[in-house]
Amino acid sequence: MTSRPAIAPLDRTDEAAYRALVDGKAKPLGALGAIEDLAVRLALIAGRPNPSYERALLLVFAGDHGLTESGVSAYPSAVTTAMVATLLAGRASANAFARAVGAEVKVVDAGVAADLAPHPLLIDAKVRKGTRNAALGPAMTAQEVESALARGAAVARRAQDDGFDILALGEMGIGNSASAALLLHRLGPAPLAESIGAGAGHDAEGMARKRAVLETAAARTPATDPLEVLAQFGGLEIAMIAGAILGAAAARLPVLVDGFIVSAAALVAIRLDPACADYCIFAHRSAERGHEVMLAALGAEPLLDLSLRLGEGTGALLALPLVRAAAGLLTEVASLDDVLAGRL
């Protein structure tokens, strides 16, 4: 088995001091609610009371899923390739949101089922062209899983080397809500019926087909070990995101976790190494069925609830200003003592 980066749990020695710093700001005690908790957590991650998150990078991991051969998605796999091209052209929702919040965007080819032309914003980390059909057999080999995890960790480390101080994680992959539902089912654990949602959009007939295919896939194997579950049900972009979370946590780099699919990757990462949960900031509660169950399994309270279910990292980007605001509370807001003494 490939070794994974060592992750240090947060050193909470200075937590009381950071809390006192926040409590002493020019505001009523606790008046900024969850932003105050976020500020303390950011200080703990940074290991100092003045963290800064000016350089943010959205990494959109892309991959295709063999499950689409069985009709789990309302769209064909070709849409993955088309949307990657849209992201690289700067014309996707994630690009617009990134410009609005001042983040850069790169796309990671984890396993798109096509040859992608080189592009300055494309990171070629492809393990293989899509996963196998999990309804018929394992989606990935153990070696492919380990390769995807390692490459994801390397992408996170490279981002830190390039000067980014926070990562937003997104995905693009037709069929990946089916894979994520199976991961939730086994690693939550959660009933399969509560894990399956509409994904990119299904009518009643499509939902019935999706449920039947995923029931077949789940019945194929009793796997519960995180690596085995990932190998059985995929996908390559989910595995690579899990690796990126592990790599970022090892580098003490906070990550903004997007919706249902990225949360499934976080579930894998946290089941592999619970210490990485300290570095995951869950951006929003998705409208996708199963996300609430997944957040509960992770003990996570997201920052936003906007009924989003797009993916691409859009929700993670929308939460970025809240992270920067929380850091600003630590570094820019006067203390109440200074206000009362006129030391402004």
Side-chain angles (χ1 to χ4, degrees):
M1 182 181 298
T2 305
S3 61
R4 277 180 284 279
I7 298 171
L10 290 186
D11 180 354
R12 298 187 179 273
T13 303
D14 294 324
E15 184 169 9
Y18 295 147
R19 179 65 66 179
L21 176 65
V22 170
D23 288 347
K25 296 294 183 178
K27 58 173 182 60
L29 190 67
L32 289 175
I35 296 298
E36 298 189 14
D37 297 333
L38 179 58
V40 172
R41 189 171 171 205
L42 293 172
L44 289 170
I45 291 173
R48 63 182 190 277
N50 59 341
S52 174
Y53 300 103
E54 289 308 305
R55 288 209 67 201
L57 175 65
L58 170 65
L59 291 166
V60 182
F61 293 79
D64 279 302
H65 293 253
L67 273 168
T68 58
E69 299 166 3
S70 296
V72 297
S73 175
Y75 295 93
S77 285
V79 173
T80 303
T81 304
M83 281 307 303
V84 166
T86 306
L87 284 156
L88 293 174
R91 299 296 303 277
S93 299
N95 301 108
F97 288 12
R99 287 189 287 271
V101 302
E104 297 181 41
V105 179
K106 291 186 179 180
V107 178
V108 183
D109 179 5
V112 177
D115 293 317
L116 302 181
H119 189 282
L121 300 181
L122 178 66
I123 298 171
D124 181 4
K126 193 194 298 283
V127 174
R128 57 171 282 127
K129 290 183 177 180
T131 57
R132 301 165 188 86
N133 189 345
L136 305 178
M140 296 183 281
T141 66
Q143 183 177 359
E144 287 163 352
V145 168
E146 291 291 355
S147 180
L149 290 169
R151 294 181 192 195
V155 167
R157 288 193 300 270
R158 191 177 312 124
Q160 186 185 50
D161 291 343
D162 288 342
F164 293 100
D165 38 43
I166 187 168
L167 301 180
L169 302 179
E171 44 63 40
M172 181 61 229
I174 296 301
N176 61 11
S177 70
S179 179
L182 289 164
L183 296 176
L184 170 59
H185 169 52
R186 286 297 164 81
L187 299 180
L192 186 58
E194 295 180 13
S195 306
I196 302 171
H202 265 304
D203 56 18
E205 181 182 348
M207 281 298 296
R209 182 171 59 251
K210 183 176 183 178
R211 283 191 293 268
V213 171
L214 297 194
E215 286 167 2
T216 298
R220 232 188 359 84
T221 170
T224 56
D225 173 79
L227 291 176
E228 178 62 18
V229 170
L230 196 50
Q232 290 292 336
F233 303 130
L236 286 160
E237 81 281 27
I238 294 174
M240 210 167 283
I241 294 168
I245 291 170
L246 293 166
R252 301 184 66 86
L253 200 63
V255 294
L256 278 163
V257 177
D258 195 46
F260 183 59
I261 316 302
V262 179
S263 294
L267 178 63
V268 171
I270 290 167
R271 292 294 186 256
L272 288 172
D273 192 333
C276 73
D278 288 338
Y279 303 88
C280 292
I281 300 168
F282 288 84
H284 73 109
R285 181 178 286 105
S286 170
E288 175 72 6
R289 182 174 185 179
H291 197 214
E292 182 70 38
V293 177
M294 192 178 300
L295 291 169
L298 289 164
E301 185 59 40
L303 296 175
L304 299 168
D305 190 345
L306 300 171
S307 298
L308 308 179
R309 59 179 184 86
L310 174 61
E312 298 180 12
T314 47
L317 289 168
L318 291 173
L320 177 60
L322 299 183
V323 171
R324 289 176 172 154
L329 174 61
L330 291 166
T331 59
E332 299 176 29
V333 178
S335 71
L336 184 59
D337 288 344
D338 284 347
V339 170
L340 295 177
R343 296 189 296 265
L344 299 178

